[in-house]
Amino acid sequence: MTTFPIEKIRADFPILQEKIRNKPLVYLDNAASCQKPQQVIDSIVHLYSHEYANVHRGVHALSVKATDRYEGAREKVKDFINAQSTKEIVFVRGATEAINLIAQTFGKTNIKAGDEILITAMEHHSNIVPWQMLCKETGAILKVAPINLQGELVYAELEKLITDKTKLIAVVHMSNALGTINPVKKIIAAAKARNIAVLLDGAQAIPHMPVDVQALGCDFYVFSGHKLYAPSGIGVMYGKQALLEAMPPYQGGGDMIRKVTFAETEYNVLPYKFEAGTPSIADVVGLGAAIDYLNVIGMDNVAAYEAELLAYATEKAKQIKGLRLIGEAQEKGAILSFVLDKIHPHDIGTMLDSLGIAIRAGHHCAMPVMDFFEVPATARASFAMYNTKDEIDVLINGIEDLIKIFG
Amino acid sequence: MFDDLRDLYQEVIFDHNRNPRNFHVMEDADRKVEGFNPLCGDRLTLFLKLDGDKITDASFQGSGCAISTASVSLMTEIVKGKTESEAEDLFQKFHQMTTGKEEEVNLEAIGKLAVLAGVREYPARVKCATLAWHTLDAALKNEQESISTE
Ligand SMILES: Cc1ncc(COP(=O)(O)O)c(C=O)c1O
């Protein structure tokens, strides 16, 4: 662990050399989206320069090459999350699209009036709104398991909310607003005992820890590439093969069909059934390159390094008078959400920005979490594997200075 | 420290943020309208007392960032005694100042409000400064629902 190659990693991310407002960039908005290593950027340039054509439809050499790259990336994703088969890896635009896909296909066929969908009080809007829409359409009921003042799921309450009517439990693996890592194994075990499907929103978890969908046993796992050092516009819906087979397609069009006549259409096999139209080919290739990059470092090492960063930042933050941490779960990823006495998060954001520090100020697409903690918004520093303790010092000094100025 | 921000966070803004003026509920208000900026979570309630088309009193409640608090505090001061059309005119000028080109803005015409001119350089913060005025606009037009700058 002492050998985490931080210098080399930082050198791989060209944007980290940027000056922002004449100061070295301290990028701490990784939970919103993280930066890309040269290897990912190069993979896209290389594809467009040498290997680009549409996929799955040409006999010509370039199309074959592009298809190889595209399907090669699917293989990498499959290995990265340890899915059983590439049939279970569906490329989508991101976590949001993945959840909407599941709601509109799995949801519409399996969830009826009076059935229940169980989520938690710390979900991102993308794991709330698609279910509300489905409930409106079907007459199903959305139930919400509470959190406590540490920002942890109250597991006992979640368990009590599971009934004979529960058809799906959709839970964030790691919260973007609080950093909380949920006890997903326990949740999945409870759900399996009652034959209930489980969806994990892995948008935040995936860049911070090893994820093994078979070991977890979840039915669906969704994430976005842009939070995993890959391009924006690409994401993954993992689903167990048997479930995906039984689900109707999401969108109709090219690629998702096997045979079309005006009388009827025969759908393509998995995973193509869910990939209508020309996909975001270069972004998929970029996602594959990001996974290659992470595999060299090792997700265990990333997790251990970031745990050190979080512990360091937490300890320093706690010493600041007037700072209140929002989210102090026992199990927590590298996110520091906080508020300051009498200083609005937006002012914190602008002040830190003038020092070259990028954080997020706002509700983090989790308005119910803000309501629970009775704050209009929080300031959030979220760390990635390329951040350092020196950068945390810059952040902490910046916070201390702005408190003085507002004083 | 924070020298780059001196144009945005002028001392007057800190002052109004620490000690907002006209910061109270008005029980006998003729108009009461809520303003909300969902992006920031800024929320304010504006109260107006009218005599014909004259604004005789203005106050507010709510919580927001320093920019939005100072903006609404300054606004409640400046619109007192103004007619509706004078207030609308100020709103137009204020809007111009916060979003328009520098050379086109007559800072003298808007007096104290000029301390907020700095937001022009911070597009993400313009809405903080204009929320108060959008809310006033709605109040004068007698729109009862809460208004939002999104
Ligand atoms: C926990 C969580 N879920 C879902 C999403 C949605 O991801 P995207 O906007 O990439 O679809 C995010 C992104 O902020 C997130 O943090």
Side-chain angles (χ1 to χ4, degrees):
Chain A
M1 241 325 286
T2 47
T3 59
F4 191 73
I6 184 67
E7 293 305 325
K8 187 189 166 308
I9 290 172
R10 287 188 68 80
D12 284 335
F13 287 76
I15 209 167
L16 297 181
Q17 310 309 316
E18 287 290 303
K19 289 268 194 296
I20 300 293
R21 304 192 190 281
N22 283 322
K23 316 261 181 356
L25 166 67
V26 176
Y27 189 78
L28 302 177
D29 194 19
N30 297 287
S33 199
C34 71
Q35 304 297 346
K36 321 304 171 198
Q38 193 62 51
Q39 289 82 342
V40 167
I41 300 167
D42 287 346
S43 74
I44 296 167
V45 173
H46 183 81
L47 181 83
Y48 280 133
S49 307
H50 303 290
E51 302 182 322
Y52 181 77
N54 209 331
V55 292
H56 303 143
R57 26 192 109 168
V59 292
H60 61 80
L62 274 184
S63 179
V64 171
K65 221 171 221 174
T67 304
D68 276 355
R69 293 288 172 268
Y70 183 81
E71 291 304 325
R74 197 190 307 274
E75 194 78 38
K76 289 171 190 178
V77 173
K78 179 209 119 198
D79 292 341
F80 189 64
I81 61 171
N82 194 31
Q84 227 165 37
S85 151
T86 51
K87 292 193 173 92
E88 301 177 320
I89 305 298
V90 175
F91 289 125
V92 290
R93 270 197 302 136
T96 302
E97 189 176 51
I99 296 170
N100 278 279
L101 186 160
I102 295 163
Q104 291 302 313
T105 57
F106 173 84
K108 270 202 183 146
T109 39
N110 292 284
I111 299 172
K112 307 269 179 285
D115 286 346
E116 294 169 2
I117 299 163
L118 182 51
I119 63 173
T120 79
M122 69 175 91
E123 299 307 316
H124 187 277
H125 295 162
S126 62
N127 199 27
I128 302 173
V129 183
W131 306 118
Q132 288 175 327
M133 289 163 67
L134 182 70
C135 286
K136 220 171 207 167
E137 284 172 53
T138 60
I141 297 154
L142 189 63
K143 295 247 174 133
V144 184
I147 56 177
N148 63 23
L149 285 170
Q150 278 69 54
E152 293 167 321
L153 172 69
V154 186
Y155 176 77
E157 292 297 320
L158 176 127
E159 206 169 21
K160 277 190 220 155
L161 286 170
I162 301 176
T163 72
D164 293 346
K165 299 267 182 198
T166 311
K167 288 284 150 46
L168 175 73
I169 303 178
V171 177
V172 70
H173 192 174
M174 171 176 153
S175 155
N176 65 309
L178 302 165
T180 308
I181 297 170
N182 276 316
V184 291
K185 277 203 165 160
K186 229 156 77 176
I187 295 169
I188 291 163
K192 291 298 112 179
R194 298 165 179 83
N195 233 339
I196 299 166
V198 177
L199 180 163
L200 294 184
D201 171 0
Q204 291 298 335
I206 197 88
H208 297 299
M209 63 189 82
V211 168
D212 179 333
V213 291
Q214 291 190 68
L216 286 169
C218 55
D219 298 283
F220 298 105
Y221 197 95
V222 307
F223 63 93
S224 300
H226 69 95
K227 297 183 203 277
L228 188 71
Y229 309 99
S232 54
I234 192 67
V236 172
M237 177 197 64
Y238 158 83
K240 278 188 185 159
Q241 187 172 340
L243 280 173
L244 296 184
E245 298 280 10
M247 279 152 57
Y250 179 43
Q251 296 176 326
D255 247 18
M256 55 76 71
I257 47 83
R258 184 184 283 154
K259 179 163 170 263
V260 177
T261 67
F262 285 115
E264 78 179 328
T265 289
E266 198 179 310
Y267 301 131
N268 205 340
V269 294
L270 290 175
Y272 311 109
K273 181 168 93 176
F274 294 105
E275 293 181 2
T278 299
S280 201
I281 300 163
D283 295 326
V284 167
V285 170
L287 175 59
I291 288 173
D292 286 343
Y293 186 83
L294 286 164
N295 283 338
V296 172
I297 299 166
M299 289 310 293
D300 281 317
N301 294 329
V302 169
Y305 177 75
E306 290 181 349
E308 262 182 40
L309 284 185
L310 179 67
Y312 183 78
T314 305
E315 196 206 310
K316 292 254 165 174
K318 279 186 164 165
Q319 288 163 16
I320 298 177
K321 230 180 116 221
L323 184 147
R324 172 183 165 213
L325 287 175
I326 303 290
E328 296 190 83
Q330 281 284 320
E331 296 293 324
K332 198 179 159 186
I335 282 176
L336 205 65
S337 214
F338 63 94
V339 291
L340 296 179
D341 211 18
K342 295 203 182 76
I343 308 177
H344 192 280
H346 264 219
D347 295 316
I348 301 172
T350 298
M351 290 267 160
L352 293 178
D353 173 58
S354 78
L355 306 176
I357 307 167
I359 62 149
R360 171 114 183 241
H363 52 62
H364 318 297
C365 298
M367 286 187 180
V369 174
M370 302 298 113
D371 290 344
F372 177 78
F373 286 98
E374 297 180 338
V375 294
T378 76
R380 179 187 71 187
S382 53
F383 308 107
M385 63 177 170
Y386 45 61
N387 290 126
T388 64
K389 289 183 182 171
D390 287 347
E391 289 180 311
I392 291 169
D393 289 340
V394 174
L395 169 72
I396 297 293
N397 291 336
I399 297 172
E400 283 172 341
D401 287 340
L402 76 88
I403 290 175
K404 274 182 217 141
I405 254 197
F406 264 81
Chain B
M1 215 19 97
F2 303 110
D3 288 347
D4 302 348
L5 287 178
R6 221 172 273 156
D7 279 349
L8 180 62
Y9 289 98
Q10 301 199 22
E11 196 45 47
V12 179
I13 289 177
F14 282 127
D15 175 40
H16 277 261
N17 184 49
R18 280 185 212 113
N19 308 297
R21 320 296 198 265
N22 304 307
F23 186 66
H24 56 81
V25 175
M26 197 190 293
E27 296 295 351
D28 58 345
D30 296 309
R31 303 277 166 84
K32 174 184 169 196
V33 171
E34 274 179 34
F36 180 44
N37 179 343
L39 201 65
C40 326
D42 289 355
R43 231 175 242 288
L44 64 90
T45 308
L46 181 68
F47 304 90
L48 296 181
K49 193 134 190 61
L50 301 173
D51 180 7
D53 75 340
K54 202 173 213 136
I55 300 167
T56 55
D57 201 5
S59 73
F60 79 102
Q61 282 276 280
S63 75
C65 64
I67 305 294
S68 82
T69 302
S71 179
V72 64
S73 169
L74 283 160
M75 184 187 79
T76 55
E77 281 193 323
I78 207 165
V79 299
K80 266 193 224 179
K82 297 261 188 307
T83 63
E84 288 188 23
S85 66
E86 284 168 342
E88 290 293 343
D89 184 52
L90 268 178
F91 178 29
Q92 292 313 319
K93 291 205 169 81
F94 186 79
H95 197 263
Q96 178 77 27
M97 172 183 83
T98 51
T99 58
K101 292 199 182 73
E102 198 160 357
E103 56 273 22
E104 291 167 4
V105 180
N106 179 359
L107 289 183
E108 262 157 41
I110 80 172
K112 263 205 250 183
L113 299 178
V115 296
L116 285 158
V119 294
R120 196 172 40 218
E121 304 300 325
Y122 297 84
R125 305 301 302 276
V126 169
K127 282 184 176 148
C128 309
T130 53
L131 175 65
W133 290 89
H134 284 289
T135 310
L136 175 71
D137 191 45
L140 292 176
K141 290 185 175 136
N142 211 359
E143 288 165 16
Q144 292 301 331
E145 316 98 88
S146 67
I147 76 117
S148 141
T149 53
E150 278 307 285

